[in-house]
Amino acid sequence: SQTIHQWPATLVQPVGSPLSLECTVEGTSNPNLYWYRQAAGRGLQLLFYSVGIGQISSEVPQNLSASRPQDRQFILSSKKLLLSDSGFYLCAWGQDEQFFGPGTRLTVL
Amino acid sequence: EDKVVQSPLSLVVHEGDTVTLNCSYEVTNFRSLLWYKQEKKAPTFLFMLTSSGIEKKSGRLSSILDKKELSSILNITATQTGDSAIYLCSERTSYGKLTFGQGTILTVHP
């Protein structure tokens, strides 16, 4: 069966520091992968999606970037965090139905 | 831009009540509509609807899509405290992208 992992679970970072969040999927190959952000427990905003290694599409202009160095690995990064980057970050895989990882709660102080 | 709108934004009921959550969408390239339940962490999948008028059921939860009205409802009968959660509606378009509504926060009191 497929599983999706995200780490870390929580993160507190100062403004201006770099960020790297990792997501890996097991039990499937060539999955579509997605990064979402959720603010204040409300709806999810799609940040990036990838249909294959090295292929990244960005949905909204922002301070973040994404990379897919391996088939089942998706990384969300920032060179310098802003206060507005705080939120709950979710990785997902799938096409019709999407299945979500456990999420990373990021607080930027 | 596609938009998914959920109502109500929040709802407080007592155990045993029946609730109906609404979702409307505006889309030019509709593929399917999905409902998720989110408790403390990751959203968990409930239903995927692609055909109008066909009800999907899972225990006390059911959902139906109306393509003419561009809407869907999620019903929960005989609510329990464990149903307290955020219910998210999303619309799937090309490349499997999901556009989410704001969510409905459901609180069920004993």
Side-chain angles (χ1 to χ4, degrees), chain B residues 10-67:
Chain B
S10 65
L11 190 54
V12 180
V13 300
H14 287 93
E15 273 193 319
D17 289 349
T18 293
V19 298
T20 299
L21 310 183
N22 301 286
C23 176
S24 65
Y25 60 93
E26 301 173 5
V27 62
T28 54
N29 204 18
F30 178 81
R31 294 283 188 265
S32 56
L33 189 129
L34 294 89
W35 284 96
Y36 287 84
K37 177 183 180 182
Q38 185 178 26
E39 294 176 86
K40 293 197 175 154
K41 288 200 171 179
T44 53
F45 171 78
L46 292 176
F47 299 111
M48 182 173 73
L49 306 162
T50 53
S51 301
S52 205
I54 297 175
E55 185 184 53
K56 292 218 172 175
K57 246 178 118 60
S58 175
R60 295 175 294 102
L61 278 67
S62 63
S63 185
I64 196 161
L65 179 69
D66 185 336
K67 283 188 177 178

Side-chain angles (χ1 to χ4, degrees), chain B residues 15-16 37 39 60 78-85 106-110:
Chain B
E15 273 193 319
K37 177 183 180 182
E39 294 176 86
R60 295 175 294 102
T79 51
Q80 302 171 357
T81 54
D83 295 325
S84 295
L106 175 64
T107 304
V108 182
H109 288 309

Side-chain angles (χ1 to χ4, degrees), chain A residues 9 32 34 36 38 40-46 49 51 59 88 90 94-103 105, chain B residues 9-10 32 34 36 38 40-45 48 86 88 92 94-105:
Chain A
N32 287 357
Y34 307 86
Y36 291 89
Q38 185 176 36
R42 302 306 296 192
L44 279 64
Q45 180 187 35
L46 179 63
Y49 69 95
V51 299
E59 286 296 293
F88 190 45
L90 287 156
Q95 188 141 2
D96 290 331
E97 303 160 22
Q98 287 186 14
F99 301 95
F100 289 85
R105 193 162 301 280
Chain B
L9 293 182
S10 65
S32 56
L34 294 89
Y36 287 84
Q38 185 178 26
K40 293 197 175 154
K41 288 200 171 179
T44 53
F45 171 78
M48 182 173 73
I86 301 174
L88 297 164
R92 178 184 175 265
S94 56
Y95 288 109
K97 291 190 294 182
L98 296 184
T99 301
F100 282 84
Q102 320 94 297
T104 294
I105 301 174

Side-chain angles (χ1 to χ4, degrees), chain A residues 59-70:
Chain A
E59 286 296 293
V60 293
Q62 58 207 313
N63 185 41
L64 303 167
S65 62
S67 61
R68 185 170 177 175
Q70 299 179 46

